Amino acid sequence: MADLLKNIILLKHRLSDSQTAEFGIKGNIENLNPSDISVIKKIWEFIDEFYNIVDNETIYIEDINNYISANVRIEIKTGNVPGYYNTSKDFLSGNKIKCVSTKFYIEELNYIEGSGTIIPPIIQAYKLNIEIIALLSEIADYKKEQGNKLELFFYKSEKGVSLNIDYNEDDLQNLKAVKILDLKAQLLDSIDSIERKQLFVNELISDLDKNGNTYANLLKDWEAIIGNYEKSFKLYLSGFSFDKIKTSSLEYFQKLTDRLYDSINKVSSYIFGIPIGYILLINNFDFKGEQILKNVALLILGILFFLIMWFVFFKNIEESISAIEADIKKFREKIDSKIELKEITSELLHLEQTSIKNQKNKLLLVKILSGLIMVVTILVYLMIFFCTNGKLNHTDEGYFHFVKIY
């Protein structure tokens, strides 16, 4: 399609006495040359009339080479060419809610999109207008699109307005939407985009209610709407930003505290669980030494239990404490300069210097305790082993009774 448009424009520039026809343009080509013929062949299906001026004889494509250097009259049906528009009004009418063609030509302005030439003011305004329509479509609560028509719906509380996207060339003349890209980033991509969007929609609805809910009025008041939105957002920040920061900080502080005490509970449970587990293990030893395989299996089980505790559970708790410690440090650095959050900063210091230190000491205690119990388990096994091999009097029932109890 781009080549078709390019060839028609080339041929149009060759026309002398150019006139607007019912479905396109017509004019004369003096001294028809091979380049003209090459272009005409490429767009032949869009040629409506083509004849020799001298004898008024129609020229057919198979005979066209016979008319080199002739003066001819030609009519081109531009109305059927995608992207070719006679006037800017025609262009706006065919591209009301979005630009259908990435490559287009407007005869009235002699402007080719993407040619590198200076963009006419009306096309600059049109492009800003399309950005506005795209943004409004993104933030609308509901939209209804049919062909080249678009209706947008906006609501706030119990009030709502509908907006038909309809405008003409005059409506774009004084449009200055220089902040449209920045506004788009604020309403769609920023961290507080939900709050910003709501404030903007409120100002939009208020303006449409006051001045009439037409798209032409919106374009006329666009800068005023942006100004009111910016003022509203500043008022919103002055009233709510501190409370929001403080609330978020308290919530995050609570999460850190919960994570820390969760790891404390795990360590506390290990303090009671590990000795009980090993006591049950030792109590199941065969102190008479008659079930050697059973004792070996229990010893292996005890060692495996010790390894799992040491290299899995204790390791996970250490990593959890280190992660909490790093998060506390980052969080403290972030809010350290805010005097209003001094209380939270103090609590974070307490967590960092006292609670985490105590937690590390408890974990160390559990590790030492588990190591000692593992040593006791191995000693009990060795004592049973040596007793049953005659190195101690294994018939001494009092001794075995004493070992089994303790």
Side-chain angles (χ1 to χ4, degrees):
M1 290 301 177
D3 289 338
L4 172 63
L5 189 62
K6 177 182 176 182
N7 286 319
I8 288 180
I9 294 171
L10 284 173
L11 194 59
K12 174 190 175 297
H13 288 160
R14 280 282 287 137
L15 298 180
S16 61
D17 191 26
S18 178
Q19 301 174 17
T20 300
E22 185 175 359
F23 297 105
I25 54 174
K26 59 184 178 179
N28 300 334
I29 298 178
E30 298 177 358
N31 193 22
L32 188 69
N33 59 50
S35 296
D36 298 329
I37 291 174
S38 175
V39 172
I40 290 170
K41 285 181 177 179
K42 290 175 182 177
I43 64 167
W44 183 258
E45 61 180 299
F46 295 93
I47 302 299
D48 194 32
E49 291 183 1
F50 187 36
Y51 57 89
N52 187 355
I53 295 176
V54 175
D55 55 15
N56 204 29
E57 181 181 21
T58 299
I59 302 173
Y60 299 98
I61 191 168
E62 58 269 17
D63 301 323
I64 193 171
N65 290 324
N66 298 329
Y67 292 88
I68 292 178
S69 300
N71 294 331
V72 298
R73 187 153 183 87
I74 190 169
E75 181 174 334
I76 309 167
K77 295 182 294 184
T78 56
N80 296 330
V81 179
Y84 191 103
Y85 302 95
N86 291 326
T87 64
S88 54
K89 182 179 179 180
D90 293 337
F91 171 75
L92 295 179
S93 177
N95 298 270
K96 186 71 72 175
I97 59 175
K98 58 185 174 183
C99 192
V100 179
S101 305
T102 55
K103 190 81 171 179
F104 59 85
Y105 172 73
I106 302 176
E107 182 182 342
E108 178 186 53
L109 304 175
N110 193 27
Y111 172 72
I112 306 172
E113 173 67 7
S115 63
T117 56
I118 297 174
I119 302 176
I122 187 62
I123 302 302
Q124 292 180 359
Y126 168 77
K127 290 183 177 182
L128 290 174
N129 165 65
I130 290 299
E131 291 286 350
I132 292 174
I133 293 172
L135 176 60
L136 294 176
S137 297
E138 286 278 353
I139 65 174
D141 294 291
Y142 176 71
K143 62 181 179 180
K144 184 167 64 176
E145 183 176 348
Q146 185 175 9
N148 207 27
K149 295 182 180 180
L150 177 65
E151 185 176 8
L152 303 176
F153 299 86
F154 300 91
Y155 303 98
K156 74 168 183 179
S157 301
E158 297 179 357
K159 185 181 293 185
V161 296
S162 65
L163 182 66
N164 281 306
I165 305 301
D166 189 24
Y167 58 92
N168 56 41
E169 194 171 345
D170 292 336
D171 298 325
L172 302 181
Q173 292 297 332
N174 299 314
L175 179 61
K176 295 177 182 178
V178 290
K179 293 184 178 180
I180 183 63
L181 294 179
D182 182 49
L183 179 65
K184 184 177 181 181
Q186 291 178 25
L187 300 185
L188 302 180
D189 302 322
S190 63
I191 297 174
D192 51 0
S193 59
I194 295 176
E195 292 85 354
R196 287 179 177 273
K197 173 185 170 183
Q198 190 58 56
L199 289 170
F200 180 80
V201 170
N202 288 346
E203 294 301 331
L204 181 68
I205 292 175
S206 297
D207 186 87
L208 292 175
D209 276 344
K210 182 172 64 176
N211 300 315
N213 60 329
T214 66
Y215 186 66
N217 287 337
L218 182 145
L219 292 178
K220 185 171 62 176
D221 296 338
W222 181 256
E223 289 185 87
I225 294 171
I226 299 298
N228 291 335
Y229 152 73
E230 289 176 343
K231 291 176 184 176
S232 296
F233 187 70
K234 287 179 181 178
L235 289 173
Y236 167 79
L237 284 181
S238 63
F240 299 101
S241 59
F242 169 70
D243 288 336
K244 188 174 180 181
I245 291 171
K246 188 171 182 179
T247 301
S248 300
S249 299
L250 286 170
E251 289 175 354
Y252 190 64
F253 172 75
Q254 188 60 50
K255 287 180 181 178
L256 289 174
T257 306
D258 291 342
R259 285 168 60 192
L260 181 60
Y261 283 100
D262 181 57
S263 64
I264 290 173
N265 290 334
K266 288 179 181 178
V267 174
S268 299
S269 65
Y270 290 155
I271 291 175
F272 295 101
I274 291 173
I276 293 172
Y278 276 104
I279 288 172
L280 292 173
L281 184 70
I282 294 172
N283 194 54
N284 279 286
F285 275 126
D286 176 23
F287 289 93
K288 293 182 179 182
E290 295 175 354
Q291 301 181 47
I292 298 173
L293 290 177
K294 178 183 177 183
N295 289 346
V296 172
L298 289 171
L299 178 63
I300 293 172
L301 187 63
I303 293 172
L304 288 175
F305 181 57
F306 173 78
L307 293 174
I308 291 172
M309 291 298 299
W310 196 274
F311 294 104
V312 178
F313 296 119
F314 294 158
K315 187 70 174 175
N316 286 345
I317 293 175
E318 284 179 345
E319 290 175 353
S320 177
I321 293 173
S322 297
I324 294 170
E325 196 171 18
D327 287 344
I328 289 174
K329 186 177 180 181
K330 288 179 184 177
F331 187 39
R332 190 163 54 82
E333 289 174 352
K334 187 180 292 185
I335 68 171
D336 202 36
S337 60
K338 301 186 187 308
I339 300 174
E340 301 89 345
L341 302 177
K342 187 176 180 180
E343 184 180 344
I344 297 176
T345 305
S346 300
E347 292 292 339
L348 287 172
L349 277 172
H350 176 74
L351 279 180
E352 193 173 20
Q353 296 175 357
T354 305
S355 300
I356 288 183
K357 186 178 179 180
N358 292 339
Q359 176 71 339
K360 288 181 176 180
N361 290 336
K362 285 184 180 180
L363 181 61
L364 179 61
L365 175 63
V366 174
K367 292 174 77 173
I368 293 172
L369 181 62
S370 65
L372 289 174
I373 295 176
M374 185 68 248
V375 171
V376 171
T377 304
I378 294 173
L379 288 175
V380 170
Y381 171 80
L382 292 174
M383 291 172 66
I384 295 172
F385 177 78
F386 286 121
C387 286
T388 56
N389 281 274
K391 295 189 177 182
L392 292 174
N393 184 7
H394 65 277
T395 60
D396 189 346
E397 294 294 336
Y399 169 77
F400 285 117
H401 179 70
F402 176 82
V403 172
K404 192 168 184 179
I405 291 176
Y406 294 98

